[in-house]
Amino acid sequence: MDEPIPVTRTVDHGTAKLMPDVDRRRAWLLTVDGAPQSYVDLDAPDHLEFEYARRLGHVLDCVAEPGRPLGALHLGGGALTLPRYVAATRPGSRQDVVEADRALLALVAEHLPVPDGAGISVHGADARAWLESADADSADVLVADVFGGSRVPAHLTTEAYARAADRVLRPTGVYAANLADGAPFAFLRSQLATFSAVFEHLALIAEPAVLRGRRFGNTVLVASHEEFDTEALARRAAADVFPARVEHGAALRRFIGDAKPVGDEDAVPSPEPPGGSFGIG
């Protein structure tokens, strides 16, 4: 059998590389400009390699009873890791994926195609523009994993953006976002303040070392109008190889402190990560 060959291609927002995993026969790592973006095992789409992806997977597992199909909207496509996960764990789900880099979508479709009948529709568009034109009350869960390089774009950090996400979610829906920051957490605290202005319930999943300010890292913000099962989420996060905590309620309000919601006029991208912050999790 021929060995898989790495692929390098210029895409709309940089240089993308697909690199085979020597330990898993049909698994691939996608990077853009050297930053890891996605990991996909075509033989095991329920395998989530990156730590933050596993935590987003925990949220998806807790949104509804096991196996129940979902209406899911994914902002940020990459190699479609989480849409593949939902299709595998919740057959019959209807999913939309919005990715601004059309050349990246073409690369993924060519080399890592999604099986026919998976229920995944892919759209080449700006995440916020697509969100603002999407049908109201159309999604059970919205997953935001949008990075321009290694930073969340400024226009996806504001209260207007949070309200657009809320409009698309059903009343029982859940928003989950991959965010990255380090001490003193000005960006993360502002995002929590922004979403607390729109949603009644918030939770944050993060490694203790990140929360203590010892290193820069990924966190997962969870927001909803109905109370989320934080106990089930905490059990799953604590059982990971790299355990994480789930903060919510009074502890999270203390963490937010005096941070204010972000308006479009004062929005900035997430901070540039220090060199070497993101490896394979």
Side-chain angles (χ1 to χ4, degrees), residues 3-243:
E3 291 294 322
I5 299 172
V7 177
T8 300
R9 185 175 299 176
T10 299
V11 292
D12 297 343
H13 297 151
T15 299
K17 293 184 179 182
L18 281 173
M19 294 175 286
D21 186 338
V22 297
D23 296 321
R24 301 176 74 96
R25 189 175 68 87
R26 297 181 70 219
W28 295 82
L29 170 68
L30 168 68
T31 68
V32 177
D33 289 342
Q37 298 291 323
S38 302
Y39 180 101
V40 169
D41 187 334
L42 297 177
D43 289 332
D46 59 345
H47 173 74
L48 300 176
E49 182 78 7
F50 293 168
E51 295 166 32
Y52 82 83
R54 289 197 294 273
R55 290 164 193 160
L56 286 167
H58 296 330
V59 176
L60 291 165
D61 291 342
C62 293
V63 164
E65 58 271 19
R68 196 194 90 184
L70 294 174
L73 171 60
H74 303 263
L75 303 181
L80 312 185
T81 302
L82 288 167
R84 297 173 201 263
Y85 178 82
V86 172
T89 59
R90 297 180 177 275
S93 294
R94 303 302 303 175
Q95 302 185 79
D96 288 293
V97 182
V98 182
E99 168 61 58
D101 195 322
R102 290 177 171 83
L104 179 61
L105 289 177
L107 173 67
V108 170
E110 178 182 349
H111 292 278
L112 307 176
V114 173
D116 291 339
I120 299 172
S121 300
V122 180
H123 313 271
D126 174 78
R128 181 160 165 182
W130 199 93
L131 191 65
E132 290 174 344
S133 65
D135 291 340
D137 299 329
S138 58
D140 298 304
V141 60
L142 194 166
V143 177
D145 186 16
V146 185
F147 282 78
S150 54
R151 306 177 75 182
V152 178
H155 70 302
L156 303 182
T157 68
T158 71
E159 186 174 340
Y161 161 76
R163 294 194 182 281
D166 180 33
R167 187 186 67 83
V168 170
L169 284 168
R170 298 186 174 110
T172 57
V174 175
Y175 176 91
N178 175 29
L179 303 173
D181 200 4
F185 301 111
F187 174 75
L188 181 57
R189 291 170 64 237
S190 75
Q191 289 307 285
L192 290 163
T194 297
F195 278 82
S196 68
V198 178
F199 292 89
E200 281 81 3
H201 298 282
L202 292 185
L204 183 71
I205 313 172
E207 282 187 50
V210 173
L211 288 176
R212 293 186 187 119
R214 293 179 182 171
R215 68 176 183 86
F216 191 99
N218 292 94
T219 65
V220 171
L221 181 156
V222 184
S224 61
H225 288 295
E226 293 195 353
E227 193 164 356
F228 197 78
D229 190 349
T230 52
E231 291 186 4
L233 191 60
R235 286 194 299 270
R236 291 172 182 268
D240 279 339
V241 174
F242 295 96

Side-chain angles (χ1 to χ4, degrees), residues 252-275:
L252 197 56
R253 288 192 292 273
R254 287 194 297 272
F255 181 80
I256 296 171
D258 60 358
K260 304 297 185 208
V262 178
D264 281 334
E265 68 283 354
D266 51 17
V268 296
S270 63
E272 187 75 41

